């Protein structure tokens, strides 16, 4: 009998409710199939409705009418009216393929995983992800795929915005990624090569990562930062990250152009791979300052660069642990160690990815960094006996055998787990292993 509570505003493609409650980064259209999601948490601080369209984040709607037990957001415990409006008939004819309601608020990563509408309907089971923030620059803005939108370090009308541009690999005339065109943002490096540091501090992007303090400290001690980048030519050092969003101090992870190393501090750049200018790379810094010893594991294009255990690795240390509020992507605040760079995708995760997960990231792709990682379990093998004294081998992978421990192993034909060797066939030594 009352007014509806979530609407589609046909005039501009917005969706939500209330003054300022429709605006966002996407546009819903008539005459087109869409998958739309409203993820509501009126118990959050502040209360929020997160809205997604076709796997793209529209907005975090914080106002108006967001209240615990509020009659515009919280459901009646008994029932609700789908596509209903009871006061003035703000309704449209509509075709509906699938509707789903869940208890609890889905995470941004889960909402992104929903993707666009499909004939098979809305998936019931969604993969889990620890991605706290991702930015893919697909619509020529700083809009988030997951988490909060990026911001310019010196505000919406400053030098940072004036010197940052958006386009594609094609429009910029740079190499595609894996043979495919990609949307990118171009950051200027030093805004004024001979100017004051206050100007160069505007170069980079403010990241409100949303990860709470962890690892037993008051800062974010366990996280993984991943970026797909293409550095332009230039000497010296190029910053990936300043762990403090104020960006007045020295950066904390760098690319050392002279030898292709990356990290920070004396002995903190060396490793097994080499980053190059004018080439697309996927680089990852997986940080755990609560480990013994504290470590930053670095990967380049799916290959391990190094476990950096020194220097400056400390729990809550200001060179590795993130400020809980924000950090500066590609920022350096003391002496402008910056390079112009094209960026296709940036992702930050709560917690440190394992080496296997980091390796599974592989090289940069036009589609951006994956939200969900699939890592095959390593082969395993165990040996026991059953009640009849037969040997039972339980394994994953492929079972191989040899007559000596260092001998030539070959696949056991027709084997499946569990594999049984009867007592009658236990003649002499036999050796087994499981392989991928």
């Amino acid at each position: 009998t009352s007014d509806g509570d979530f609407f589609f505003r046909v005039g501009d493609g917005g969706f939500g409710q209330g003054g300022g409650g429709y605006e966002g980064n996407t546009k819903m259209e008539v005459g087109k199939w869409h998958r739309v999601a409203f993820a509501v948490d009126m118990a959050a601080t502040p209360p929020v409705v997160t809205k997604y369209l076709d796997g793209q984040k529209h907005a975090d709607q914080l106002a108006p009418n967001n209240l615990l037990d509020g009659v515009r957001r919280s459901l009646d415990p008994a029932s609700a009216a789908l596509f209903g409006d009871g006061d003035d008939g703000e309704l449209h004819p509509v075709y509906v393929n699938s509707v789903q309601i869940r208890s609890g608020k889905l995470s941004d990563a889960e909402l992104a995983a929903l993707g666009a509408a499909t004939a098979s309907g809305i998936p019931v089971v969604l993969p889990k992800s620890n991605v706290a923030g991702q930015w893919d620059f697909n619509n020529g803005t700083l809009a988030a795929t997951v988490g909060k939108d990026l911001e310019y370090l010196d505000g919406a009308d400053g030098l940072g915005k004036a010197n940052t541009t958006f386009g594609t690999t094609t429009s910029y005339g740079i190499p595609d990624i894996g043979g495919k065109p990609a949307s990118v943002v171009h950051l200027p490096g030093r805004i004024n090569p001979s100017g004051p540091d206050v100007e160069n501090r505007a170069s980079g992007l403010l990241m409100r990562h949303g990860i709470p303090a962890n690892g037993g400290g008051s800062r974010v001690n366990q996280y993984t930062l991943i970026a797909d980048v293409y550095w332009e030519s230039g000497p010296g050092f190029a910053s990936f990250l300043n762990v403090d969003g104020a960006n007045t101090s020295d950066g904390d992870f760098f690319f050392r152009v002279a030898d292709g190393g990356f990290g920070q501090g004396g002995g903190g750049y060396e490793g097994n791979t080499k980053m190059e200018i004018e080439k697309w790379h996927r680089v990852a810094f997986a940080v755990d300052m609560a480990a013994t010893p504290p470590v930053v594991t670095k990967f380049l294009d799916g290959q391990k660069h190094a476990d950096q255990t020194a220097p400056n690795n400390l729990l809550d240390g200001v060179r590795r642990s993130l400020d809980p509020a924000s950090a500066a992507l590609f920022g350096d605040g003391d002496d402008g160690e910056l390079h112009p760079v094209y960026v296709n995708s940036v992702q930050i995760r709560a917690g440190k990815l394992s080496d296997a997960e980091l390796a599974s990231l592989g090289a940069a792709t036009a589609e951006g960094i994956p939200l969900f990682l699939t890592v095959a379990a390593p082969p395993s093998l165990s040996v026991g006996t059953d009640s009849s004294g037969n040997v039972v081998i339980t394994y994953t992978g492929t079972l191989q055998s040899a007559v000596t421990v260092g001998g030539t192993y070959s696949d056991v034909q027709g084997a499946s787990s569990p594999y049984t060797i009867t007592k009658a066939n236990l003649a002499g030594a036999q050796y087994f292993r499981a392989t991928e």
Side-chain angles (χ1 to χ4, degrees):
T1 56
S2 60
D3 192 25
D5 299 295
F6 289 124
F7 292 92
F8 164 39
R9 190 165 66 186
V10 182
D12 62 2
F15 52 101
Q17 185 272 326
Y22 290 87
E23 288 69 24
N25 299 312
T26 68
K27 182 178 179 180
M28 194 181 298
E29 301 176 43
V30 296
K32 180 178 179 180
W33 280 103
H34 287 294
R35 177 167 290 164
V36 61
F38 299 88
V40 179
D41 188 352
M42 292 300 103
T45 305
V48 63
V49 181
T50 298
K51 298 175 290 186
Y52 269 70
L53 185 71
D54 302 327
Q56 300 297 311
K57 188 166 187 176
H58 183 71
D60 284 322
Q61 180 179 331
L62 303 178
N65 303 319
N66 288 14
L67 297 168
L68 188 71
D69 283 347
V71 295
R72 296 307 295 260
R73 300 288 178 263
S74 302
L75 296 177
D76 185 296
S79 62
L82 290 169
F83 308 102
D85 178 76
D87 67 339
D88 54 3
E90 292 174 306
L91 303 165
H92 253 47
V94 63
Y95 296 95
V96 184
N97 175 54
S98 184
V99 178
Q100 181 187 100
I101 191 165
R102 292 172 177 256
S103 177
K105 181 181 186 289
L106 289 183
S107 70
D108 279 22
E110 291 169 321
L111 291 163
L114 288 169
T118 56
S120 54
I122 303 163
V124 174
V125 179
L126 295 173
K128 298 296 182 182
S129 174
N130 61 352
V131 173
Q134 178 150 327
W135 302 272
D136 295 303
F137 314 107
N138 290 326
N139 59 359
T141 70
L142 300 181
T145 302
V146 171
K148 296 185 180 298
D149 295 351
L150 296 174
E151 302 171 37
Y152 296 101
L153 285 165
D154 62 344
D157 300 310
L159 288 171
K161 182 177 182 179
N163 288 275
T164 299
T165 59
F166 299 88
T168 66
T169 51
T170 303
S171 67
Y172 284 117
I174 61 174
D176 292 334
I177 307 177
K180 297 180 181 180
S183 297
V184 298
V185 62
H186 181 256
L187 302 176
R190 287 184 67 89
I191 289 174
N192 186 343
S194 59
D197 285 332
V198 68
E199 293 185 358
N200 295 313
R201 287 174 191 150
S203 185
L205 298 168
L206 181 67
M207 173 181 63
R208 301 190 189 278
H209 50 77
I211 306 174
N214 60 21
S218 60
R219 293 169 65 90
V220 181
N221 290 285
Q222 296 161 320
Y223 63 94
T224 303
L225 178 70
I226 308 159
D228 287 356
V229 296
Y230 178 98
W231 295 106
E232 290 191 77
S233 297
F237 294 80
S239 176
F240 280 100
L241 178 73
N242 191 332
V243 299
D244 289 300
N247 197 38
T248 56
S249 59
D250 192 23
D252 298 295
F253 289 123
F254 292 92
F255 163 39
R256 189 165 66 187
V257 181
D259 62 3
F262 52 102
Q264 187 272 326
Y269 290 87
E270 289 68 25
N272 301 310
T273 67
K274 182 178 180 180
M275 192 180 298
E276 300 177 44
I277 58 173
E278 298 181 344
K279 180 179 180 179
W280 280 106
H281 287 293
R282 177 167 291 169
V283 61
F285 299 89
V287 178
D288 188 353
M289 293 299 102
T292 305
V295 64
V296 181
T297 298
K298 298 174 290 186
F299 269 69
L300 185 70
D301 301 326
Q303 302 297 311
K304 188 166 185 175
H305 183 72
D307 283 324
Q308 179 180 332
T309 55
N312 301 322
N313 288 12
L314 297 168
L315 187 73
D316 282 349
V318 295
R319 295 309 294 264
R320 301 287 177 262
S321 302
L322 298 177
D323 183 293
S326 62
L329 291 170
F330 307 102
D332 178 76
D334 67 339
D335 55 4
E337 291 176 305
L338 303 165
H339 254 44
V341 63
Y342 296 94
V343 185
N344 174 55
S345 187
V346 178
Q347 181 186 101
I348 192 164
R349 291 173 176 258
K352 180 182 185 291
L353 289 182
S354 68
D355 281 20
E357 291 169 320
L358 292 164
S360 76
L361 289 168
T365 58
E367 297 79 13
I369 303 162
L371 290 169
F372 306 95
L373 302 177
T374 302
V375 179
S380 62
L381 183 147
S382 62
V383 180
T385 58
D386 62 18
S387 59
S388 300
N390 303 315
V391 173
V392 179
I393 302 173
T394 303
Y395 65 94
T396 60
T398 300
L399 186 66
Q400 296 184 327
S401 67
V403 295
T404 62
V405 69
T408 301
Y409 284 80
S410 58
D411 294 353
V412 179
Q413 298 300 314
S416 61
S417 183
Y419 178 70
T420 300
I421 307 171
T422 63
K423 290 175 65 175
N425 291 322
L426 293 174
Q430 299 179 61
Y431 296 87
F432 294 87
R433 70 183 184 189
T435 64
E436 293 181 350

